[in-house]
């Protein structure tokens, strides 16, 4: 009998879509039927829009990937596969990692995500089989500074958003006197619309641990922390399992792999504060204090956690390190652009067909990401903007879609690379509302230390609120621009400095939408409810009374079979009547 | 006065003498008592010699710490970008209507549910998303809410 494997993608998205039930159904079926099938769990396969995803392999049909699988279908699908019949439904592709058959995969390149959705993240053996911990072994045979030189030569830049050269950062920490130094993995992925780090931690935790070990050896650190959001329970669970397994195999602990190098790794759960993604705030939070940023210098390399030299890198940066050690800096530089080598992982979401986790070589255009990798805009709508970098980033309009993905080109648009959240917006999205949404977020998350950030963001939000309610004044645009500049210059940390970015970029590229709200008192996309009025078209209304029954405030009146009327004074603009009318008689404008 | 402090005392003992203990201590204390009120803060302060003002400062800084009693089930509404552009507000209004919450209220009078807004839950391709206790519900429409809430007592 052949060895057939069945893999179920059990990352958070998969579980949310019901993959757990599919897994349990398979499990009980396989116990009963005693078929020679190996059932495995794996991390995020990347095509989140197809979740739950199941992959069959090992049969004559080769690898077959199925999407949107329901528990009641799965046994039938498996039996089809076992009888060498290609399943007719749910089929996504017939050899997932063979780019030829899959246009969504063709433009991608997987270095960091190599194992994600392939191996069982709870098994250290599976990680080892893919070459895991070989990079550590190699690094331990080198002098520490040679490792730093190698990372410098690769040109790797920090994937947390700012793009600072990683090798240089390591060098600063290396130069500091010991003996006590720390390395930290920043897994406080707080940007709304970003889930790269979660998927990586859930899908391939050992890669991050190995990266940290290599960095710690190079810089001379013997202790490390992974600071992870408490909102990511599965990532924390997989990390705990991975750390325990690594200790048992002597990849962690004293005298690692028989050398003098010892390293202890802790997990620190965040407690819910966006500002803790800022490195000084993050360290204060580990110290048990309020996570409030402090002035740099001193940089963490000089005086970091508990005053000791500390190096902080983001999850994806650490995950790149083992690949660079094993394949060499030249191989890394062969990917991407001169100034931004390598790949970048993005969480593609919003109004795009193929939302999910993607990894692309730097230098690809944003247009290719949306239309080739992402398969275009959902429901045949028109593209309006793509938001990069979360609350610190900005919106890139259609005319700049050919901008390439590298730190410098994206910064030139006014957005930032950020950690990798990409949210696609279509013609139905109101850009004033988007700006307001982000400002609301940063205003809420401002730690309150700097006056401009604390009060300035609130003043900006008030102005945006006013504009979206139709009470805007023409001077408001000027006021927003002045406040934006002041907040940028008067704030200590990145959160405050970048807080106005969403407003600045939408003002730059979508000024006409602001003006429509202010001058015409209209929201062109009908998102800002205060600017809407609901009326009933007498000629179309059949008097079916459905809208009146649905109306929660009973503001629609009229006799059956006669045109109805909405009382605008009572209407709360809930949209119920609009949605319930079968004759398109409710008009909103 | 705070009652049943045995487990809490054991917890304090576990962390005694370590650095940076306040956040994990508060996290575990909250698991024991459901929320962190003034009495609990004063008790912790007396036992650990961390000033009560510092404990209050940390407890109010992080959104994870709850200063009031929570309902039996916590409903988290994702306010991530993808959910926002997918009209998660219509889901929020449906929840508020079903739970009969008045403005300013976040917990139902029978303590069955607490409704909170959270930053991104990281399941953006399933937007709009809510999470009830540990279970995530995605691709929601307002009509789905009644059926989902019926699963919880």
């Amino acid at each position: 009998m052949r060895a057939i494997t069945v893999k179920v993608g059990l990352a958070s998205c998969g579980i949310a879509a019901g993959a757990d039930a599919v897994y349990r159904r398979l499990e009980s079926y396989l116990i009963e039927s005693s078929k020679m099938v190996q059932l495995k769990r794996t991390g995020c396969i990347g095509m989140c829009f197809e979740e739950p995803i199941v992959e069959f392999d090992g049969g004559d049909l080769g690898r077959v990937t199925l999407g949107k699988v329901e528990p009641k279908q799965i046994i039938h699908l498996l039996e089809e596969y076992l009888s060498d019949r290609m399943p007719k439904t749910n089929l996504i592709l017939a050899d997932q990692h063979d780019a030829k058959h899959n246009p969504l995969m063709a433009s991608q390149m997987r270095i960091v995500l190599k194992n994600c959705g392939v191996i069982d993240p709870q098994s250290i053996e599976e990680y080892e089989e893919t070459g895991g911990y070989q990079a550590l072994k190699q690094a331990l045979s080198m002098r520490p500074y040679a490792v730093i030189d190698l990372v410098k030569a690769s040109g790797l830049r920090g994937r947390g958003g700012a793009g600072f050269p990683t090798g240089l950062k390591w060098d600063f920490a290396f130069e500091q006197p010991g003996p006590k130094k720390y390395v930290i993995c920043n897994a406080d992925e707080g940007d709304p619309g970003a889930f790269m780090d979660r998927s990586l931690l859930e899908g391939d935790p050992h890669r991050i641990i190995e990266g940290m070990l290599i960095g710690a050896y190079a810089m001379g650190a013997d202790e490390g922390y992974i600071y992870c959001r408490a909102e990511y329970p599965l990532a924390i669970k997989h990390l705990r399992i991975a750390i325990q397994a690594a200790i048992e195999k002597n990849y962690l602990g004293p005298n690692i792999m028989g050398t003098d190098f010892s390293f202890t790794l802790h997990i620190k759960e965040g407690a819910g504060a966006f500002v803790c993604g800022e490195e000084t705030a993050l360290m204060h939070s580990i110290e048990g204090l309020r996570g409030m940023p402090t002035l740099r210098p001193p940089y963490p390399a000089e005086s970091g956690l508990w005053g000791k030299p500390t190096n902080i890198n983001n999850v994806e940066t650490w995950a790149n390190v083992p690949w660079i050690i094993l394949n060499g800096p030249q191989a890394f530089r062969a990917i991407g652009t001169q100034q931004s080598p390598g790949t970048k992982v993005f969480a593609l979401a919003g109004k795009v067909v193929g939302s999910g986790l993607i990894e692309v070589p730097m230098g690809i255009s944003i247009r290719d990401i949306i239309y080739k990798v992402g398969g275009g805009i959902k429901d045949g709508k028109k593209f309006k903007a793509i938001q990069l970098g979360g609350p610190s980033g900005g919106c890139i309009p259609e005319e700049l879609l050919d901008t390439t993905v590298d730190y410098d080109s994206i910064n030139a648009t006014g957005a930032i690379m950020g950690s990798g959240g990409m949210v696609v917006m279509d013609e139905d999205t109101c850009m004033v509302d988007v700006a307001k949404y982000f400002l609301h977020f940063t205003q809420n998350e401002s730690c309150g230390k700097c006056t401009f950030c604390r009060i300035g963001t609130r003043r900006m939000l008030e102005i945006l609120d006013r504009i979206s309610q139709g009470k805007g004044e023409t001077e408001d645009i000027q006021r927003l621009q002045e406040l934006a500049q002041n907040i940028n210059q008067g704030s200590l940390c990145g959160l405050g400095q970048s807080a106005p970015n969403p407003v600045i970029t939408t003002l730059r590229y979508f000024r006409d939408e602001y003006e429509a709200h202010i001058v015409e008192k209209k929201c062109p996309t009908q998102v800002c409810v205060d600017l809407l009025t609901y009326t009933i078209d007498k000629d179309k209304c059949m008097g079916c009374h459905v809208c009146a029954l649905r109306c929660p405030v009973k503001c629609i009146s009229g006799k059956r079979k006669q045109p109805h009327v909405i009382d605008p004074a009572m209407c709360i603009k809930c949209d119920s009547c609009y949605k319930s009318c079968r004759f398109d008689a409710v008009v909103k404008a | 006065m705070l009652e049943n402090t045995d487990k809490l005392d054991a917890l304090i003992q576990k962390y005694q003498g370590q650095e940076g203990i306040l956040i994990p201590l508060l996290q575990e204390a909250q698991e024991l008592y459901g929320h962190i009120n003034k009495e609990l803060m004063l008790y912790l302060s007396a036992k650990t010699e961390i000033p009560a003002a510092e404990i209050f400062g940390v407890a109010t800084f992080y959104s994870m710490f709850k200063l009031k009693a929570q309902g039996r089930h916590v409903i988290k509404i994702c306010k991530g970008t993808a959910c926002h552009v997918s009209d998660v507000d219509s889901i929020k209004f449906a929840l508020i209507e079903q739970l009969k919450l008045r403005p300013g209220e976040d917990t139902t009078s029978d303590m069955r549910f607490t409704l909170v807004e959270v930053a991104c839950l990281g399941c953006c391709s399933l937007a709009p998303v809510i999470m009830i206790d540990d279970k995530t519900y995605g691709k929601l429409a307002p009509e789905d809410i009644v059926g989902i809430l019926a699963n919880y007592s």
Side-chain angles (χ1 to χ4, degrees), chain A residues 2-232:
Chain A
R2 295 158 308 194
I4 307 271
T5 55
V6 178
K7 279 184 199 170
V8 184
L10 285 170
S12 294
C13 300
I15 293 174
D20 231 6
V22 174
Y23 186 87
R24 282 198 304 271
R25 183 75 191 84
L26 276 165
E27 201 173 38
S28 54
Y29 169 78
L30 291 173
I31 291 170
E32 282 167 28
S33 69
S34 68
K35 283 213 164 61
M36 292 290 286
V37 172
Q38 203 185 359
L39 180 62
K40 292 166 83 165
R41 49 180 79 224
T42 190
C44 178
I45 297 171
M47 296 173 287
C48 307
F49 62 108
E50 292 282 8
E51 295 283 6
I53 299 177
V54 177
E55 192 182 288
F56 299 141
D57 200 3
D60 287 348
L61 293 171
R63 183 156 36 192
V64 171
T65 309
L66 305 169
K68 297 189 176 136
V69 179
E70 288 182 33
K72 61 175 189 280
Q73 301 172 298
I74 184 63
I75 304 308
H76 173 69
L77 293 168
L78 176 63
E79 281 168 350
E80 290 281 289
Y81 181 80
L82 290 175
S83 333
D84 296 328
R85 282 194 296 270
M86 187 65 85
K88 289 185 194 70
T89 56
N90 305 75
L91 191 65
I92 311 179
L93 40 124
D95 206 2
Q96 190 212 331
H97 294 283
D98 184 350
K100 283 198 299 279
H101 299 293
N102 183 2
L104 299 185
M105 287 285 176
S107 312
Q108 295 200 47
M109 173 175 252
R110 300 199 156 207
I111 289 181
V112 170
L113 297 178
K114 197 178 82 159
N115 290 343
C116 235
V118 179
I119 66 165
D120 176 355
Q122 300 191 21
S123 160
I124 191 169
E125 286 80 14
E126 289 200 18
Y127 180 64
E128 287 175 319
E129 280 162 23
T130 64
Y133 290 108
Q134 288 303 311
L136 174 65
K137 196 175 168 192
Q138 194 172 322
L140 290 177
S141 71
M142 298 160 71
R143 282 180 304 109
Y145 199 77
V147 176
I148 294 180
D149 264 342
L150 203 149
V151 174
K152 269 187 181 171
S154 75
L156 174 66
R157 294 171 71 173
R159 298 294 194 245
F164 191 80
T166 306
L168 205 58
K169 200 168 179 179
W170 287 19
D171 203 358
F172 293 148
F174 175 84
E175 293 291 337
Q176 297 301 315
K180 192 71 197 176
K181 293 183 192 175
Y182 292 99
V183 290
I184 296 174
C185 172
N186 185 348
D188 191 42
E189 181 173 63
D191 283 2
F195 52 92
M196 306 75 52
D197 295 349
R198 171 180 67 68
S199 305
L200 253 172
L201 293 163
E202 286 177 358
D204 198 8
H206 284 287
R207 179 173 300 274
I208 292 118
I209 296 173
E210 187 176 5
M212 289 182 79
L213 278 160
I214 294 167
Y217 170 73
M219 288 175 269
D222 67 350
E223 200 171 348
Y225 286 89
I226 299 175
Y227 187 93
C228 186
R229 276 182 89 189
E231 287 88 342
Y232 288 173

Side-chain angles (χ1 to χ4, degrees), chain B residues 30-47:
Chain B
Q30 178 164 284
E31 274 171 37
L32 287 178
Y33 292 90
H35 67 288
I36 300 167
N37 61 16
K38 187 177 170 185
E39 281 176 338
L40 180 55
M41 288 187 220
L42 290 172
Y43 187 87
L44 288 172
S45 171
K47 290 274 177 171

